[in-house]
């Protein structure tokens, strides 16, 4: 058949019979099959199929082309029908049930119908409107006729929980019994349990659970278990959660991600940290991703509990999934609430791993936490934020400025303000926050300067800012500005008037203060007790006690007297030194029922201390403690201040005992910290100073510029120049604070005293501060210490060139630099220059000149200077005589010693420990040991002082120098009996001297005593009181070995040292292995 012939013709030819009675050709072929006929039939059928395929394709193409314009509409119609089928299947089911048909899978009683659509609409409307009563009414009207659909069941249960919780269980269970075949399913059970669990009604939840299992025989599904455990978690019952989880596992079921989330939500709701964390870990180990909300909310809860750092570290170790950026942002927020820079750094590092870019919330938190901690990272992150392109709000900038104020982070504040100026964002809020930064840093004048900048920017301060500016103006002494600002305030409030009164106090203008009070009255404002107290304080500052007393009498009539009134007036009496009036007022206070407080006692203490009545001050301390008034920072500071006039150690330790007894931490207050540090420096209490500085480094105190000076000075005394540099750079580079000339002087002195003279000169040259003679004097002291007399003279001429006014102190420093090397010609030139500058040489000048002659060896000239001082009745002390005595020792001029001692008695010069030490050293060198002991006994009585450890060490060394080991050991014991602790130098000197004198057994005993080693067979007796130099131990062991006593003394000593954890060096071991000397007979035989 030709391929192009139509399909109908092919079919007709194949299927149509040839005659009326003949079968169709296809039938004939099949009835008489042959090879040829079958091949023909196959060919015909193939062609027919091809023709059919072509025809069908043409049919579909025609249909597609005709419906192309309608594809969008048809697609919309198809999906609409599909959505209606799935979303409103209940309507179809109700329709089917109303026609008497039962859908597959749902068994219902014969004759039942679906839930009434009208009642269903009412029920849904009531649920949406929150009308529980309407929901219950609609349900009750239709519940008997039909089973409640599952999607309506949760509305019904919730309505009962809200309106009739007691009827919930019986009515729902009754309804389920009526429609048991339709409602006794696990889906319906899960819906009911979920609604009840979410409401926290655990009792009803368990009633339903028991009924479902026992009465209805429902199959326990994972969803039902998860709902139950979520309910128990919300009720804060982890034991029940664990119990049902075990039951779930027994049933071969496992928690789904939804189940874990329900339990986590419940535990978080009850703030159960450990249980939440365990559930999060369990969820992560199953391979499920932990929900974002879970970790974020978890860290919020740990923050409220103060356990963020602990749980973060725990999560980092135990979680098998990475923490989400949201959770890490919450951690950073908690670091802001409770400043923790270390944790913030960890969270930042993790956040940068998990997030390609940081969010504005992350930047906000990082900046705040680093700014509060004054960490320079804040500067880097702020720059990064600017480059990120994120929008920086005014609120974020103002918040950062506020935190810069808390930490006194001036450099950060300046960076923020520079950005604001560049972006034209200098608003009132920004200016106000910047003022706060300056105020917190004590820079009140700079805060006032912002007022001019406000005006230049065309901004008008609000009432609050005007009030702050007035207060700042008073604090920095710019009282005229406070009055100018008061005139611009639209309406002054009581705080503004208080600032004006304080400004009058600054000017000591009593009349103006009273005028301001009258102005208050004229404006209809009744002055309160605070205003009257402020005026009273002005009277006290001006020293007008009469007006103050009259004002207090008026206040008594008005009934406006309080404890502050009495304390202020008490301060007035104390300022005048009128202790009688102060005591009478103190008694009056107690009679008036005003219980004295710490301020009261501090006024009395300060007056007693200022008058030098230390015993009276301690009497007030005792009364404070009797009255249960706790000492405060000012109490301790006042008593520490008293130590400036006292040289003994008794009062020093008494003050430190008061500090320890009070429980006050010096690092909690800057003033107290500075006072205690200064006291430790003055009295060389290095151990306490080290403890105090260690506590400071752990504290959160942000030092001001003066405190940096005290810290640098303290570390300088401890010989820690690296720490001095650390705090100098922290102040300038990290905090952005500008040092004043006092702090610069502290830093220069620290460098000079620790041998870094060149670094001191370099720092001085780089400084932008105005040069003054004090700073030059420090450098000159450094030149003197390093024997650079010429550079000291160069500095002198440089000061003259720059027109600096030199004083006696400066000249004394330069003269000292020349006197130390014996350049007396330059000393003479400097003395002449003193006269030209109008400076009068003082006792220090003359003693320095005496020192110069002594260094040069010209003691006769030195004595001439002393004679001139004596003739002119110039005040001089033991320093001058000590200098000459030291020169006599150096140059062996014993002929003038007795004369000098007679002069000291004649002119009533009190000898000191230094005098005694020089004499002992001199007598020891001249083999006059008995005279040294005699002067040790007589001179302390004459000078009324107690020999210190250095003097005892000098006497011991004098004995050793005269080969008197027994007396040296006796001096060592006497020293300890006097309560003095030998230092390393004393112990090393004694051991070395005994070794030189071949008193090896005694030397070993001293080593045992120094290191508390016990005897040769005993154990260690306690902690080592001090140590000895390694060199003296090496010399001792070498001498022991040389004398052939290693087995008797050396070996056991080494063993005891090793047991006592004393470092045993290789050199020490080698010293013990020195070959012993040969006996005399052996040496003679070898020589023969």
């Amino acid at each position: 058949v030709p391929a192009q012939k139509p399909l109908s013709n092919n079919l007709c030819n194949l299927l149509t019979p040839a005659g009326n009675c003949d079968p169709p050709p296809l039938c004939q072929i099949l009835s008489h099959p042959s090879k040829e006929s079958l091949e023909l039939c196959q060919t015909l059928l193939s062609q027919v199929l091809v023709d059919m395929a072509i025809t069908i394709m043409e049919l579909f193409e025609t249909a597609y082309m005709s419906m192309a314009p309608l594809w969008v509409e048809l697609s919309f119609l198809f999906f609409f029908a599909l959505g209606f089928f799935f979303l409103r299947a209940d309507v179809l089911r109700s329709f089917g049930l109303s026609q008497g048909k039962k859908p597959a899978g749902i068994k219902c009683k014969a004759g039942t119908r679906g839930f009434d659509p009208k009642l269903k609409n009412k029920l849904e409307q009531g649920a949406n409107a929150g009308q529980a009563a309407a929901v219950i009414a609609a349900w009750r009207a239709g519940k008997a006729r039909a089973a409640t659909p599952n999607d309506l069941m949760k509305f019904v249960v919730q309505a009962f929980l809200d309106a009739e919780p007691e009827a919930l269980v019986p009515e729902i269970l009754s309804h389920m019994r009526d429609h048991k075949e339709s409602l006794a399913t696990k889906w319906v059970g899960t819906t009911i349990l979920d609604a009840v669990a979410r409401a926290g009604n655990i009792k009803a939840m368990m009633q339903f659970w028991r009924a479902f299992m026992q009465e209805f025989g429902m199959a326990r599904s994972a969803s039902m278990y998860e709902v139950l455990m979520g309910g128990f978690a919300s009720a804060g019952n982890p034991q029940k959660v664990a119990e049902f989880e075990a039951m779930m596992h027994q049933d071969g079921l496992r928690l789904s991600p939804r189940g874990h989330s329900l339990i986590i939500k419940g535990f978080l709701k009850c703030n159960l940290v450990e249980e939440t964390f365990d559930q999060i870990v369990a969820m992560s180990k199953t391979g499920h991703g932990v929900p974002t909300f879970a970790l974020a909310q978890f860290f919020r809860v740990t923050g409220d509990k103060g356990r963020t750092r602990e749980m973060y570290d725990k999560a980092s170790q135990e979680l098998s999934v990475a923490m989400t950026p949201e959770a890490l942002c919450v951690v950073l927020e908690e670091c802001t609430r409770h400043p923790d820079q270390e944790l913030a750094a960890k969270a930042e590092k993790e956040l940068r791993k998990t997030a390609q870019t940081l969010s504005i919330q992350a930047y906000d938190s990082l900046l705040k936490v680093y700014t509060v901690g004054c960490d320079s990272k804040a500067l880097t992150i702020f720059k990064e934020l600017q480059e990120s392109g994120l929008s920086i709000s005014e609120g974020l900038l103002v918040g950062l400025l506020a935190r810069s104020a808390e930490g006194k982070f001036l450099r950060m504040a300046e960076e923020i303000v520079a950005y604001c100026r560049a972006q034209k964002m200098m608003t009132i809020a920004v200016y106000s926050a910047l003022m706060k930064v300056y105020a917190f840093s004590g820079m009140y004048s700079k805060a006032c300067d912002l007022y001019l900048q406000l005006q230049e920017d065309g901004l008008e301060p609000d009432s609050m800012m005007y009030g702050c500016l007035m207060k700042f103006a008073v604090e920095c002494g710019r009282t005229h500005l406070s009055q100018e600002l008061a005139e611009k305030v639209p309406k002054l409030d009581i705080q503004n008037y208080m600032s004006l009164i304080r400004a009058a106090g600054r000017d000591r203008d009593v009349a103006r203060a009273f005028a301001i009070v009258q102005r208050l009255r004229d404006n209809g404002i009744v002055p309160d007790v605070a205003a009257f107290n402020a005026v009273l304080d002005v009277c006290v500052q001006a020293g007008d006690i009469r007006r103050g007393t009259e004002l207090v009498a008026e206040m008594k009539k008005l009934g406006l007297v309080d404890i502050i009134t009495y304390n202020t007036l008490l301060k007035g009496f104390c300022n005048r030194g009128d202790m009688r009036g102060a005591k009478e007022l103190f008694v009056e206070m107690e009679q008036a029922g005003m219980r004295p407080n710490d301020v009261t006692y501090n006024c009395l203490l300060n007056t007693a201390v200022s008058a030098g009545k230390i015993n009276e001050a301690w009497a007030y301390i005792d009364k404070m403690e009797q009255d249960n008034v706790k000492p405060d920072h000012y109490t301790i500071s006042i008593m520490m201040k008293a130590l400036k006039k006292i040289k003994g150690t008794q009062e020093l330790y008494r003050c430190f005992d008061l500090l320890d007894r009070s429980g006050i931490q010096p690092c909690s207050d800057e003033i107290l910290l500075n006072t205690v540090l200064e006291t430790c420096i003055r009295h060389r209490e290095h151990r306490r100073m080290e403890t105090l500085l260690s506590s400071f480094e752990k504290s959160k105190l942000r030092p001001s510029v003066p405190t940096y000076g005290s810290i640098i000075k303290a570390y300088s005394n401890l010989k820690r120049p690296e720490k001095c540099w650390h705090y100098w750079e922290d102040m300038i580079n990290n905090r952005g604070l500008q040092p004043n000339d006092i702090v610069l002087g502290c830093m220069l002195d620290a460098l000079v005293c620790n041998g870094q003279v060149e670094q001191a000169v370099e720092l001085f040259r780089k400084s932008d501060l105005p040069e003054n003679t004090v700073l030059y004097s420090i450098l000159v002291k450094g030149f003197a210490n390093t024997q650079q007399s010429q550079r000291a003279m160069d500095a002198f001429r440089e000061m003259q060139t720059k027109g600096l006014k030199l004083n006696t102190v400066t000249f004394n420093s330069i003269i000292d630099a020349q006197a130390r090397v014996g350049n007396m010609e330059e000393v003479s030139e400097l003395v002449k220059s003193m006269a030209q500058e109008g400076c009068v040489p003082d006792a220090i000048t003359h003693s320095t000149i005496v020192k110069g002659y002594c260094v040069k060896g010209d003691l006769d000239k030195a004595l001439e200077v002393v004679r001139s001082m004596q003739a002119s009745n110039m005040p001089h002390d033991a320093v001058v005589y000590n200098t000459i005595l030291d020169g006599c020792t150096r140059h062996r001029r014993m002929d003038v010693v007795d004369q000098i001692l007679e002069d000291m008695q004649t002119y009533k010069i009190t000898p000191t420990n230094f005098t005694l030490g020089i004499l002992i050293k001199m007598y020891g060198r001249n083999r006059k040991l008995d005279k040294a002991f005699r002067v040790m006994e007589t001179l302390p009585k004459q000078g009324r002082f107690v020999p210190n450890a250095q003097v005892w060490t000098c006497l011991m060394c004098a004995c050793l120098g005269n080969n008197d080991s027994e007396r040296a050991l006796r001096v060592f014991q006497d020293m300890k009996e006097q309560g003095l602790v030998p230092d390393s130098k004393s112990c090393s000197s004694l051991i070395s001297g005994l070794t030189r004198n071949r008193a090896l057994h005694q030397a070993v005993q001293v080593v045992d005593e120094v290191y508390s080693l016990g005897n040769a067979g005993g154990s260690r007796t306690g902690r080592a009181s001090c140590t000895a130099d390694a060199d003296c131990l090496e010399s001792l062991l070498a001498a022991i070995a040389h004398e052939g006593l290693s087995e008797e003394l050396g070996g056991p000593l080494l063993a005891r040292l090793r047991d006592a954890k004393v470092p045993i060096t290789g050199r020490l071991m080698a010293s013990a292995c020195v070959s012993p000397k040969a006996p005399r007979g052996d040496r003679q035989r070898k020589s023969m």
Side-chain angles (χ1 to χ4, degrees):
V1 181
Q4 65 271 18
K5 188 173 280 189
L7 176 62
S8 58
N9 293 336
N10 292 333
L11 287 174
C12 290
N13 292 335
L14 189 61
L15 299 177
T16 303
N20 293 333
C21 298
D22 295 331
L26 181 60
C27 294
Q28 295 177 18
I29 293 171
L30 294 175
S31 59
H32 301 88
S34 63
K35 184 176 180 181
E36 292 77 8
S37 62
L38 289 175
E39 290 178 353
L40 175 63
C41 182
Q42 183 179 2
T43 302
L44 290 173
L45 286 174
S46 299
Q47 187 62 47
V48 168
L49 292 174
V50 171
D51 290 343
M52 288 178 65
I54 292 172
T55 304
I56 292 171
M57 291 177 62
E58 290 177 351
L59 178 64
F60 274 106
E61 184 177 359
T62 302
Y64 177 81
M65 294 298 295
S66 61
M67 297 182 68
L70 302 175
W71 275 124
V72 176
E73 290 80 357
L74 290 173
S75 298
F76 177 78
L77 181 63
F78 170 75
F79 286 109
F80 177 80
L82 189 63
F84 183 84
F85 175 79
F86 282 109
L87 297 177
R88 300 306 302 269
D90 56 324
V91 175
L92 297 177
R93 186 179 65 179
S94 300
F95 178 77
L97 292 174
S98 65
Q99 300 299 321
K101 300 176 182 178
K102 294 189 291 184
I106 297 181
K107 298 178 180 180
C108 57
K109 297 178 181 178
T112 59
R113 297 187 301 172
F115 204 85
D116 190 338
K118 292 182 179 180
L119 292 175
K120 179 182 178 183
N121 289 336
K122 287 183 179 181
L123 194 150
E124 289 177 341
Q125 291 173 3
N128 293 332
Q131 298 174 354
V135 173
I136 293 173
W139 178 75
R140 282 172 174 165
K143 68 174 183 176
R145 300 174 58 190
T148 305
N150 199 24
D151 59 333
L152 296 182
M153 184 63 77
K154 60 181 179 181
F155 297 142
V156 176
V157 174
Q158 188 61 51
F160 271 107
L161 288 167
D162 294 340
E164 301 180 25
E166 68 283 349
L168 169 65
V169 176
E171 291 204 31
I172 294 296
L173 289 178
S174 175
H175 178 58
M176 291 180 69
R177 292 186 190 100
D178 294 340
H179 306 280
K180 189 172 183 179
E181 293 182 357
S182 301
L183 298 180
T185 64
K186 59 184 179 182
W187 294 282
V188 175
T190 302
T191 301
I192 295 172
L193 290 173
D194 184 57
V196 178
R198 288 178 185 274
N201 195 331
I202 303 302
K203 180 180 178 181
M205 183 181 76
M206 290 307 298
Q207 289 175 341
F208 277 121
W209 169 257
R210 285 191 288 269
F212 293 164
M213 298 300 106
Q214 299 171 8
E215 181 178 351
F216 296 97
M218 290 185 187
R220 292 183 289 196
S221 65
S223 298
M224 295 176 77
Y225 273 117
E226 290 169 354
V227 167
L228 284 171
M229 287 189 284
F232 286 127
S234 297
N237 194 338
Q239 293 80 13
K240 279 290 184 181
V241 173
E243 178 184 335
F244 273 80
E245 187 174 7
M247 291 172 57
M248 186 179 183
H249 291 165
Q250 290 176 1
D251 290 346
L253 302 172
R254 291 291 182 269
L255 277 171
S256 67
R258 176 178 177 273
H260 281 292
S261 299
L262 288 174
I263 298 172
I264 290 170
K265 277 185 181 179
F267 284 149
L268 287 173
K269 179 182 176 183
C270 298
N271 296 332
L272 298 176
V273 175
E274 296 292 346
E275 290 76 5
T276 304
F277 180 75
D278 292 342
Q279 199 62 226
I280 291 174
V281 171
M283 186 176 185
S284 69
K285 288 181 177 178
T286 59
H288 301 304
V290 180
T292 300
F293 85 90
L295 278 173
Q297 185 60 27
F298 171 69
F299 283 119
R300 287 192 182 94
V301 172
T302 59
D304 295 336
K305 298 281 187 179
R307 300 180 61 187
T308 304
R309 172 192 277 270
E310 172 196 350
M311 298 313 297
Y312 178 86
D313 293 339
K314 200 171 179 181
S316 300
Q317 295 173 2
E318 299 185 24
L319 279 183
S320 57
V321 294
M323 279 186 272
T324 61
E326 292 79 3
L328 292 168
C329 285
V330 172
V331 172
L332 291 173
E333 290 173 11
E334 294 303 323
C335 292
T336 304
R337 288 175 55 198
H338 309 286
D340 189 338
Q341 289 178 251
E342 185 178 348
L343 178 57
K346 292 180 182 178
E348 179 194 359
K349 183 178 180 180
E350 187 66 24
L351 184 60
R352 292 187 185 276
K353 288 181 182 177
T354 56
Q356 294 182 350
T357 57
L358 299 184
S359 64
I360 190 65
Q361 291 80 10
Y363 277 118
D364 188 322
S365 299
L366 284 171
L367 285 169
K368 286 176 179 176
V369 70
Y370 287 139
T371 300
V372 169
C374 298
D375 195 322
S376 57
K377 287 183 182 178
L379 301 169
T380 306
I381 293 176
F382 185 63
K383 184 178 180 181
E384 180 185 330
L385 173 59
Q386 295 176 53
E387 296 172 351
S388 69
L390 294 172
S391 176
I392 305 177
S393 66
E394 181 191 58
L396 188 150
L397 296 169
V398 171
L400 291 177
L401 284 172
R403 282 163 175 79
S404 299
E406 294 174 20
K408 302 175 186 176
F409 197 177
L410 195 60
R411 185 179 175 191
M412 182 65 184
E414 290 172 346
E415 289 290 332
I416 295 168
V417 171
Y419 173 80
C420 290
R421 292 193 186 283
Q423 300 296 320
K424 298 182 179 179
M425 295 176 65
M426 290 300 293
T427 62
I428 288 291
V430 175
Y431 271 112
S432 180
L434 183 57
M435 283 182 186
K436 184 178 178 183
V437 175
Y438 288 139
F440 272 57
S441 300
M443 305 168 71
Y444 297 107
S445 185
K446 292 200 73 171
C448 292
D449 292 340
L450 293 177
Y451 176 61
L452 298 176
Q453 298 179 27
L454 272 166
Q455 291 179 317
E456 291 174 0
D457 290 346
L459 299 174
E460 181 67 27
D462 54 18
S463 299
M464 183 176 292
M465 183 176 285
Y466 270 123
C468 291
L469 283 169
M470 290 173 65
K471 181 179 178 181
F472 300 155
V474 173
E475 291 291 342
C476 66
R478 296 166 66 172
T479 55
H480 62 283
L481 178 60
S482 66
Q483 297 178 43
E484 177 186 337
L485 293 169
E487 295 174 359
K488 296 187 178 183
V489 177
K491 185 179 180 181
L492 294 174
D493 58 17
I494 188 67
Q495 296 301 323
N496 300 139
Y497 282 110
M498 294 286 285
S499 295
L500 290 175
I501 294 172
R502 293 191 185 99
R506 277 274 186 174
D507 296 336
R508 302 193 174 189
D509 192 338
V510 177
R512 195 168 89 213
F514 277 95
I516 294 170
V517 173
Q518 187 58 44
R519 184 178 167 188
L520 265 171
R521 291 169 172 158
D522 295 341
N523 290 332
I525 301 175
V526 179
D528 58 6
V529 65
F532 278 118
N533 286 336
V535 177
L536 178 60
D537 189 57
V538 176
C539 297
V540 168
Q541 291 182 55
D544 195 344
I545 297 299
R546 183 186 62 81
R547 293 287 298 274
T549 306
E550 293 174 357
L551 178 61
V552 171
E554 182 184 349
M555 293 172 67
K556 289 179 180 178
K557 293 178 182 179
L558 297 172
L560 296 176
V561 176
D562 60 5
I563 187 65
I564 298 175
T565 309
Y566 279 106
N567 285 338
T568 306
L569 187 58
L570 183 68
K571 183 173 70 173
F573 284 114
C574 291
N575 289 346
R576 293 177 59 186
D578 187 357
M579 287 301 295
R580 180 178 178 183
K583 291 177 180 178
E584 290 176 355
L585 184 62
F586 184 84
V587 174
E588 182 183 337
M589 286 175 62
E590 293 183 317
Q591 292 175 348
M594 297 289 180
R595 185 170 177 267
N597 58 13
D598 52 350
V599 178
T600 311
Y601 283 106
N602 287 340
C603 286
L604 297 171
L605 280 172
N606 190 53
T607 305
V609 167
S610 300
K613 300 178 180 179
I614 189 67
N615 292 330
E616 187 174 337
W618 283 115
Y620 284 124
I621 293 289
D622 294 337
K623 188 165 181 11
M624 281 184 75
E625 295 180 337
Q626 291 172 6
D627 294 343
N628 293 323
V629 178
K630 292 185 177 181
D632 62 358
H633 304 91
Y634 296 104
T635 311
I636 307 297
S637 297
I638 291 168
M639 296 309 296
M640 292 282 181
K641 182 177 69 174
L643 297 175
K644 293 181 179 179
K645 302 178 182 179
I646 300 173
K647 296 182 179 180
T649 59
Q650 181 179 357
E651 298 299 332
L652 172 68
Y653 295 135
R654 199 173 178 183
C655 284
F656 282 139
D657 180 63
L658 175 64
L659 173 62
D660 298 336
R661 196 167 65 245
S662 68
I664 297 173
Q665 295 297 327
C667 296
S668 62
D669 180 77
E670 272 197 277
I671 295 175
L672 181 60
L673 175 63
N674 288 329
T675 304
V676 177
L677 282 176
E678 290 291 340
T679 303
C680 292
I681 292 169
R682 189 181 306 111
H683 294 274
R684 298 185 179 183
E685 285 288 323
H686 289 175
R687 288 188 180 180
R688 182 175 286 268
M689 189 157 54
E690 287 178 347
T691 304
L692 180 56
L693 289 171
S694 177
S695 299
F696 163 73
E697 292 185 347
K698 296 174 184 176
S699 72
K700 297 179 180 179
L701 180 66
R702 301 300 170 204
S704 59
V705 171
T707 307
Y708 272 110
S710 297
I711 294 169
I712 290 171
K713 191 189 298 184
Y715 274 118
S716 171
N717 276 264
L718 293 175
K719 305 301 179 184
R720 301 281 301 278
E722 74 284 355
K723 280 289 188 179
C724 299
W725 277 116
H726 168 76
Y727 282 102
W728 176 264
E729 292 172 356
D730 179 63
M731 174 180 59
I732 296 177
N733 299 330
N734 295 338
R735 299 281 304 284
L737 299 177
Q738 181 64 38
N740 54 30
D741 55 345
I742 297 175
V743 179
L744 176 59
C746 291
M747 186 62 192
L748 292 176
D749 189 67
L751 296 175
V752 163
C753 293
N754 286 278
Q756 298 185 14
V757 178
E758 298 306 323
Q759 292 91 326
V761 173
E762 183 181 357
L763 182 62
F764 174 75
R765 300 299 183 195
K766 289 181 178 179
S767 174
D768 297 329
L769 292 171
E771 298 171 342
N772 57 49
T773 54
V774 175
L775 300 178
Y776 270 106
S777 297
I778 295 172
L779 294 181
V780 169
K781 182 174 74 172
F783 297 144
N785 291 342
T786 53
Q787 306 291 310
Q788 299 185 68
S789 58
Q790 186 56 49
R791 293 185 72 179
M793 289 299 294
D794 293 342
F796 165 67
R797 295 188 178 94
E798 185 177 326
M799 284 187 279
Q800 287 183 316
T801 303
K802 293 183 177 180
L804 295 178
K805 180 65 176 177
L806 278 72
N807 53 28
T808 303
V809 175
T810 307
F811 273 110
N812 287 342
S813 299
I814 304 170
I815 291 172
D816 181 58
Q818 307 307 316
R820 289 191 182 205
V821 294
N823 290 340
M824 301 312 296
E825 293 79 8
E826 284 80 359
V827 170
S828 300
E829 179 187 343
L830 290 168
V831 172
K832 293 178 183 178
S833 298
M834 288 184 73
Q836 295 172 1
E837 293 283 344
C839 298
V840 179
D842 58 8
I844 297 176
T845 311
H846 285 85
S847 62
T848 306
I849 295 172
V850 169
K851 179 171 66 175
Y853 283 123
C854 289
V855 169
K856 196 173 181 180
D858 195 346
L859 292 179
D860 295 326
K861 282 280 189 182
L863 285 171
E864 287 181 14
V865 176
V866 174
R867 296 283 181 264
S868 66
M869 293 176 70
Q870 295 169 349
S872 61
N873 294 323
M874 178 178 290
H876 54 286
D877 54 15
V879 175
V880 178
Y881 296 94
N882 290 341
T883 303
I884 296 182
L885 287 172
D886 187 56
C888 293
T889 303
R890 292 173 183 272
H891 300 285
R892 299 184 179 275
R893 289 288 304 273
M894 295 294 296
D895 55 308
V896 295
V897 172
D898 293 336
Q899 182 183 352
I900 295 170
L901 293 175
E902 289 177 6
D903 286 349
M904 290 182 71
Q905 290 183 354
T906 303
Y907 291 97
K908 298 180 180 180
I909 302 300
T910 304
T912 64
N913 269 304
F914 193 73
T915 311
L916 180 57
I918 293 172
L919 289 173
I920 290 173
K921 190 185 300 182
M922 179 177 59
Y923 290 137
R925 289 181 180 179
N926 288 277
R927 303 292 177 179
K928 297 181 178 181
L929 195 56
D930 293 336
K931 206 165 185 178
F933 274 91
R934 193 177 307 119
V935 77
M936 180 71 171
E937 183 179 354
T938 59
L939 206 62
K941 295 177 182 178
Q942 180 184 338
R944 296 181 180 181
F945 65 87
V946 178
N948 57 24
Q950 288 77 18
V951 171
W952 285 97
T953 302
C954 283
L955 183 59
M956 184 178 66
C957 291
C959 295
L960 293 170
N962 286 270
N963 299 322
D964 196 338
S965 300
E966 291 184 5
R967 293 178 83 175
L969 288 169
R970 196 179 310 131
V971 169
F972 185 70
Q973 295 300 327
D974 291 343
M975 177 182 178
K976 292 193 295 182
E977 289 175 3
Q978 293 295 324
L980 298 173
V981 179
D983 57 10
S984 297
K985 183 178 179 182
S986 302
C987 298
S988 300
S989 299
L990 179 57
I991 295 170
S992 298
L994 292 173
T995 302
R996 285 195 305 272
N997 296 337
R998 286 299 184 264
L1000 301 181
H1001 286 81
Q1002 291 90 333
V1004 171
Q1005 290 176 1
V1006 172
V1007 173
D1008 286 338
E1009 187 174 350
V1010 167
Y1011 286 99
S1012 301
L1013 302 179
N1015 53 34
S1019 59
R1020 191 175 184 185
T1021 59
R1023 186 173 61 87
S1025 58
C1026 63
T1027 60
D1029 293 340
D1031 291 340
C1032 76
L1033 291 178
E1034 291 170 9
S1035 299
L1036 173 60
L1037 288 171
I1040 290 172
H1042 193 260
E1043 294 294 330
L1045 298 174
S1046 295
E1047 185 175 350
E1048 178 186 351
L1049 297 177
L1053 177 61
L1054 270 176
R1056 293 197 297 276
L1057 288 171
R1058 189 180 295 107
D1059 293 341
K1061 308 298 183 183
V1062 177
I1064 305 297
T1065 63
R1067 290 181 58 187
L1068 200 61
M1069 292 295 295
S1071 300
C1073 298
V1074 174
S1075 300
K1077 65 180 181 180
R1080 186 177 181 127
D1082 291 346
R1083 289 200 301 268
Q1084 289 176 350
R1085 281 193 293 270
K1086 286 182 180 179
S1087 63
M1088 291 173 65

